[in-house]
Amino acid sequence: MSVQERKQRERADRERLIVATARELAEQQGWDAVTTRRLAERIEYSQPVLYSHFRGKREIIGAVALEGAAEMASAVRAAACAADGPRARVTALALAYLDFAERNPAVYDAMFRLDGGLAFAHEDTPEPLKDAFAALLESLGEVAGDGVHPGLFTEVFWAALHGLATLTRAGRLPPQDTGRRVELLADRLAVL
């Protein structure tokens, strides 16, 4: 391995460490606790080293969001692939999405609530975000119904899931009824 390759590998390792530490700290104490000073202390690098990877907290949030989008896409696809039939796929997809949001609240916030400097629904949207939407579209497009644009249907379904995740987390909806809500959503919104 050349010196240049080793340096690139070490840089990538440091970047992964910064993102993982920010994510861990945010999940434990919330995003307000994530500062470059605290990150530098935890990973035992100086703040200038952090700034050589990310211009600030906003970019770190963006990196966590991209990582989360890839994980969510994988979870949604795995759940949908394991289900048999369109209605079962929609239900499995919805439950996987809501489970991801519940188990990863700080990551979910980085993806959808906080400013990570990422463009959504634009030509320059980063690939992991496009892929997360595609993971939803793959199962939902088949149930959109005649004359309904699959992408628009997926956006509406996604908005409903986001609302359920957000309202449940805020204590506005009782979590024990999540399965019943998903069944209702699958029954009424999805033309099956």
Side-chain angles (χ1 to χ4, degrees):
M1 173 182 305
S2 72
V3 171
Q4 172 108 3
E5 290 171 329
R6 181 182 52 77
K7 285 183 179 186
Q8 287 175 342
R9 187 188 72 215
E10 288 171 354
R11 180 172 177 75
D13 288 345
R14 271 192 313 272
E15 193 165 299
R16 279 190 295 276
L17 178 61
I18 294 166
V19 171
T21 304
R23 182 175 174 165
E24 179 184 313
L25 186 58
E27 291 292 0
Q28 291 171 352
Q29 300 177 30
W31 278 103
D32 287 342
V34 179
T35 64
T36 53
R37 190 172 122 211
R38 288 187 81 189
L39 286 174
E41 289 170 3
R42 282 205 173 197
I43 65 172
E44 299 178 346
Y45 282 103
S46 67
Q47 283 181 287
V49 170
L50 265 74
Y51 285 117
S52 74
H53 290 274
F54 299 99
R55 285 183 286 212
K57 183 175 176 176
R58 181 179 185 220
E59 283 189 5
I60 294 169
I61 290 169
V64 170
L66 294 176
E67 188 176 270
E71 291 172 12
M72 187 180 76
S74 178
V76 164
R77 281 191 176 105
C81 285
D84 187 29
R87 185 181 187 291
R89 276 191 291 282
V90 168
T91 300
L93 172 151
L95 290 171
Y97 181 99
L98 294 172
D99 181 63
F100 178 87
E102 180 184 350
R103 285 184 301 102
N104 304 282
V107 173
Y108 193 82
D109 284 349
M111 293 167 65
F112 300 120
R113 193 179 66 81
L114 302 173
D115 179 9
L118 304 173
F120 284 80
H122 293 288
E123 287 182 26
D124 60 342
T125 297
E127 201 54 45
L129 298 179
K130 289 180 183 178
D131 188 54
F133 184 78
L136 298 173
L137 181 63
E138 290 163 9
S139 290
L140 295 172
E142 71 178 320
V143 298
D146 293 335
V148 177
H149 188 279
L152 291 177
F153 178 81
T154 300
E155 289 171 354
V156 170
F157 200 91
W158 172 30
L161 292 176
H162 178 69
L164 289 173
T166 302
L167 291 170
T168 301
R169 182 168 157 204
R172 306 297 196 272
L173 297 175
Q176 66 270 18
D177 294 330
T178 296
R180 290 178 45 212
R181 286 187 200 95
V182 167
E183 291 294 327
L184 180 62
L185 187 62
D187 285 344
R188 301 291 182 238
L189 189 56
V191 179
L192 304 170

